Amino acid sequence: SSWCVQTRFLYSGALPFTARPHSSLWRSSQMTSKRCVAQSSRSNPNCDRRTPGASSSYHQINSKIIKSFEKGDLDGLLATIASHIPQMNLVNLTTGLHRLAKLAAPSPQRQAHLKGHHVFQHLLNSISVALDTLRPGEVPAQSLSNVAWSLASLGFITDELINKMVVKAASSVSSFHSFELSTLLWACAKLGAMNDDIARCTKPVFDMAATHIMAHVNDFPFRCLANVLWAFATSKRFHSRLFRCVVSQMLPQVHVANSQELANTTWALGKASYRNEPFLQRVADHALPHLADFKPQELSNMIWGFGCIGFFPEEFFLGASAALQSKDLTT
């Protein structure tokens, strides 16, 4: 019908949705950082390469980093990190990087300040050196995920560090929890979209992750699988068996998805030209009562994704068009 054609025309050029790992995944990473500090001391002695027997000091350093971060002062956090870098292990270093990125990423001004700061470069160099001293199985998965997320969130390309991170991650994918792996893939996709060399470099991570996810898909909640699909679609790695496996796992979980997760998923399926009508219909039905809660970008990307694969649920499209008309599309 005419409304359908008009809506498809209006949103056929929708920009790829810049998905971000769900906030609950980031909260999980905060809790995991404490676990990683302890594990790095017990099972990865090389992580504590500077001061043998000082595992309690690593816990104290991590606590100081987190307390400084919670104050929201970027320069204060940089000062805290600078004063402890010589005593830090890998978990401390990557926790510091993660918290710096968390503070700076939302603000272009803060990003520019951080990227030009000598402590930031010193921190990156220290992480690179720490990775050199560890075998792949000795590097905590959360540390690798933190490095990838931080660099991607800041849009900061450093070939040497990313290459080292990819090598360690690809050889230890099985050690990643679902939120760690989905965040790693999100970051690799975003970094790869900025740089073709990085896109080629990250191929082993995607290849190993696909095999692991298909074998352990039951361990992944909807929000992690949404990020997985977005990452593979963004990196133009259209793995049909993986998509089929993931969508089958997501089908009975659609009712728990929020607007961002639905938008990420629909955009990814459209980008990959992957059509599973029962799943798409359930996504549309679940979204319909909540369209007022969707951001304009989320709605436009759902419309774009559905349109790419020729799926036009009339009730959803009418509701989405009405919701868009009621929103401020300039923000």
Side-chain angles (χ1 to χ4, degrees), residues 34-283:
K34 297 179 180 179
R35 170 173 56 82
C36 285
V37 172
Q39 287 180 343
S40 69
S41 301
R42 292 194 301 268
S43 59
N44 301 329
N46 287 339
C47 285
D48 300 337
R49 66 193 186 285
R50 293 183 175 87
T51 313
S55 62
S56 62
S57 69
Y58 300 126
H59 287 280
Q60 292 168 5
I61 291 171
N62 242 42
S63 295
K64 290 178 181 179
I65 292 170
I66 292 169
K67 287 179 182 177
S68 182
F69 160 77
E70 290 171 348
K71 295 177 182 177
D73 180 1
L74 182 61
D75 284 324
L77 180 54
L78 283 163
T80 298
I81 290 169
S83 66
H84 293 288
I85 279 185
Q87 292 80 41
M88 286 184 179
N89 69 356
L90 179 63
V91 174
N92 298 147
L93 294 167
T94 57
T95 299
L97 177 62
H98 183 269
R99 298 313 192 269
L100 287 171
K102 187 69 178 176
L103 283 181
S107 165
Q109 293 77 18
R110 282 190 167 195
Q111 282 194 43
H113 178 59
L114 176 62
K115 292 173 184 177
H117 202 286
H118 70 278
V119 173
F120 179 66
Q121 191 57 57
H122 188 187
L123 184 62
L124 295 180
N125 291 340
S126 297
I127 292 171
S128 182
V129 170
L131 289 177
D132 283 337
T133 68
L134 298 168
R135 294 187 294 272
E138 295 175 338
V139 181
Q142 184 64 37
S143 292
L144 295 171
S145 181
N146 279 350
V147 170
W149 182 89
S150 301
L151 296 177
S153 296
L154 294 170
F156 190 82
I157 300 293
T158 167
D159 292 347
E160 182 180 2
L161 181 54
I162 292 173
N163 286 334
K164 290 179 182 180
M165 180 270 295
V166 166
V167 170
K168 303 292 187 185
S171 61
S172 58
V173 159
S174 61
S175 69
F176 282 70
H177 292 296
S178 58
F179 70 87
E180 294 167 342
L181 185 55
S182 62
T183 299
L184 175 71
L185 293 173
W186 171 87
C188 287
K190 189 172 182 186
L191 290 166
M194 294 187 290
N195 184 291
D196 289 341
D197 289 335
I198 298 300
R200 287 188 288 272
C201 163
T202 57
K203 182 180 184 300
V205 171
F206 282 94
D207 290 344
M208 296 300 295
T211 300
H212 176 78
I213 292 167
M214 287 188 290
H216 301 87
V217 70
N218 291 336
D219 298 335
F220 286 72
F222 191 100
R223 61 175 61 98
C224 290
L225 294 174
N227 273 334
V228 167
L229 291 182
W230 184 91
F232 272 83
T234 298
S235 62
K236 300 179 182 179
R237 304 181 195 280
F238 305 132
H239 194 304
S240 59
R241 284 203 305 124
L242 174 69
F243 272 64
R244 184 165 58 251
C245 176
V246 167
V247 167
S248 295
Q249 178 68 15
M250 296 173 84
L251 181 59
Q253 301 182 50
V254 170
H255 66 283
V256 305
N258 63 25
S259 59
Q260 179 184 336
E261 294 155 6
L262 294 173
N264 292 354
T265 301
T266 307
W267 180 88
L269 296 180
K271 182 73 171 176
S273 299
Y274 183 85
R275 182 183 175 112
N276 180 312
E277 194 155 331
F279 178 77
L280 296 171
Q281 187 62 57
R282 190 166 297 186
V283 167

